[in-house]
């Protein structure tokens, strides 16, 4: 069965500065290189889904400078009929990547926050029960998007990133799958728990209807569905740039889960794909194709 995934999310131009270390408060520092990439958590996850073989519809908004974002989606055969073009600036991110490949990201939402309720209604007219919705926290109208997807009987995957207090105003009881890192898991449960197993049980108490995928950095990842719990270690690699690695993981996890129904395989493939992503520069440009992941 071919699954249709509606990825309703951000599209950003990533302005990436290579730095010896993250700039500190009060410090002025020269960067050693500058590059522009196509990114945004929504766009990156759409590309990861498409490169892993899914039929993807991206919905969101870009500005008058957003042609490059649309072209990038089209190159991966992603349907862009639900991406609207506005007169304002597209979203962008100012990203510092240090010598160890870690990043820090400053976001400007721009067109990503220009979504109207009527846009959302128009998009959901084209989707139905059995379709999948994937969202992150970089666009507006999320409450309405979740409500409509739920009303349609769609399965909802939520990556609550970047985390902020607005997330608590969303109808989280309608989410089927949360994909989050350890810090986001602590933030959403409002509990600072270091023990992973305990963290999973607390998540289950808060959201008894949902399943969870938690990425744990160097410690790998874990997935909890009902009473099943799987763990996966990382595929070690040389870290060049971690930007987009989490998005790669999310896209590959969802597509492998939909394709095979096997949680352990989904974690394994996602982990392999994200390790390829961290060994390359950029966000969407670092996301591997399915063949590369299979042959790695
Ligand atoms: O997850 C990485 C992404 O976060 C970047 O591409 C940047 O645009 C921000 O949205």
């Amino acid at each position: 069965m071919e699954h249709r995934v509606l990825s309703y999310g951000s599209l950003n131009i990533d302005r990436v500065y290579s730095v010896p270390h993250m700039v500190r408060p009060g410090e002025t520092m020269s960067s050693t290189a500058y590059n522009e990439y196509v990114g945004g958590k929504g766009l990156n996850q759409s590309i990861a889904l498409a490169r892993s073989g899914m039929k993807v519809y991206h919905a969101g908004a870009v500005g008058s400078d957003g042609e490059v974002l649309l072209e990038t989606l089209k190159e991966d055969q992603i349907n862009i009929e639900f991406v609207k073009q506005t007169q304002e600036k597209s979203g962008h991110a100012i990203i510092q990547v240090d010598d160890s490949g870690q990043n820090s990201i400053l976001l400007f939402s721009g067109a990503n926050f220009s979504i109207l309720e009527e846009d959302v209604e128009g998009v959901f007219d084209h989707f139905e029960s059995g379709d999948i919705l994937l969202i992150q926290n970089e666009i507006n109208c999320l409450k309405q998007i979740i409500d409509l997807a739920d009303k349609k009987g769609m399965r909802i995957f939520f990556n609550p990133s970047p985390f902020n207090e607005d997330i608590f105003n969303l109808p989280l009881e309608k989410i089927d799958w949360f994909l989050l890192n350890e810090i986001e898991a602590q933030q959403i449960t409002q509990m600072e728990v270091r023990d992973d197993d305990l963290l999973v049980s607390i998540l289950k108490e808060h959201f008894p209807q949902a399943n969870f995928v938690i990425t744990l950095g160097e410690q790998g990842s874990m997935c909890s569905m009902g009473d099943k719990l799987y763990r996966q270690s990382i595929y070690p690699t040389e870290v060049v740039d971690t930007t987009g690695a989490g998005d790669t993981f999310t896209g590959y996890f969802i597509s492998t889960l939909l394709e095979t129904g096997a949680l352990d395989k989904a974690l394994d493939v996602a982990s392999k794909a994200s390790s390829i992503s961290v060994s390359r520069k950029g966000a969407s440009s670092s996301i591997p194709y399915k063949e590369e992941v299979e042959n790695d």
Side-chain angles (χ1 to χ4, degrees):
M1 173 189 170
E2 194 188 42
H3 294 278
R4 296 197 311 166
V5 184
L6 169 61
S7 173
Y8 216 137
S10 58
L11 307 99
N12 289 335
I13 294 164
D14 287 353
R15 301 187 174 137
V16 183
Y17 300 82
S18 301
V19 290
H21 62 81
M22 303 304 170
V23 69
R24 299 183 183 113
E27 182 182 26
T28 303
M29 187 179 75
S30 290
S31 56
T32 54
Y34 171 73
N35 284 292
E36 283 188 10
Y37 297 102
V38 166
K41 292 188 196 308
L43 177 147
N44 296 338
Q45 293 180 20
S46 285
I47 289 189
L49 284 163
R51 292 189 180 172
S52 58
M54 288 285 115
K55 174 81 199 135
V56 185
Y57 297 75
H58 191 96
V62 295
S64 46
D65 54 350
E67 208 50 48
V68 63
L69 302 170
L70 298 175
E71 285 306 315
T72 303
L73 290 173
K74 279 202 277 186
E75 277 166 24
D76 277 296
Q77 283 75 49
I78 295 167
N79 181 303
I80 56 162
E81 72 183 280
F82 306 119
V83 183
K84 80 168 177 181
Q85 273 192 285
T86 70
Q87 284 317 303
E88 56 191 297
K89 293 265 179 221
S90 295
H92 76 249
I94 292 176
I95 304 182
Q96 299 177 56
V97 178
D98 72 10
D99 287 345
S100 69
Q102 299 305 312
N103 64 33
S104 78
I105 302 182
L106 175 66
L107 287 174
F108 170 71
S109 349
N112 290 313
F113 264 57
S114 70
I115 298 167
L116 304 173
E117 295 208 349
E118 67 217 47
D119 300 331
V120 178
E121 275 161 25
V123 171
F124 278 92
D125 281 348
H126 296 83
F127 292 87
E128 58 194 19
S129 172
D131 291 335
I132 311 292
L133 172 72
L134 171 60
I135 45 174
Q136 314 77 28
N137 190 32
E138 284 186 348
I139 57 169
N140 66 323
C141 277
L142 278 175
K143 179 180 179 318
Q144 192 199 2
I145 290 170
I146 296 171
D147 282 339
L148 274 178
D150 178 66
K151 204 166 155 200
K152 288 265 171 178
M154 294 169 70
R155 225 182 316 167
I156 307 175
F157 290 75
F158 183 31
N159 169 218
S161 179
F163 196 90
N164 60 30
E165 293 290 309
D166 295 344
I167 286 178
F168 294 117
N169 297 323
L170 298 175
L172 299 176
E173 71 285 358
K174 296 180 178 170
I175 304 298
D176 297 290
W177 280 89
F178 286 94
L179 301 106
L180 63 197
N181 65 30
E182 203 171 13
I183 299 189
E184 290 154 357
Q186 292 177 2
Q187 289 170 317
I188 209 164
T189 55
Q190 295 175 288
M191 291 181 91
E192 241 181 78
V193 179
R194 304 257 171 252
D195 180 280
D196 304 334
D197 292 313
L198 185 57
L199 190 56
V200 171
S201 4
I202 295 172
L203 279 167
K204 283 163 100 172
E205 271 170 37
H206 277 72
F207 310 106
Q209 83 292 350
N211 306 304
F212 307 93
V213 179
I214 308 174
T215 51
L216 306 162
E218 292 286 300
Q219 307 313 316
S221 52
M222 59 200 287
C223 169
S224 153
M225 184 182 186
D227 54 4
K228 294 192 202 112
L229 185 68
Y230 293 91
R231 286 180 181 274
Q232 172 70 47
S233 48
I234 58 163
Y235 282 86
T237 186
E238 193 206 343
V239 180
V240 172
D241 180 356
T242 55
T243 316
D247 301 327
T248 306
F249 187 100
T250 295
Y252 268 87
F253 177 85
I254 295 173
S255 72
T256 312
L257 177 69
L258 295 175
E259 199 187 322
T260 67
L263 294 172
D264 50 349
K265 179 146 173 85
L267 277 184
D268 180 53
V269 172
S271 169
K272 208 180 272 182
S274 66
S275 89
I276 298 175
S277 159
V278 299
S279 70
R280 298 172 178 173
K281 284 188 175 174
S284 61
S285 55
S286 73
I287 300 172
Y289 289 88
K290 193 176 188 176
E291 304 73 56
E292 296 175 83
V293 179
E294 281 169 353
N295 297 332
D296 193 51

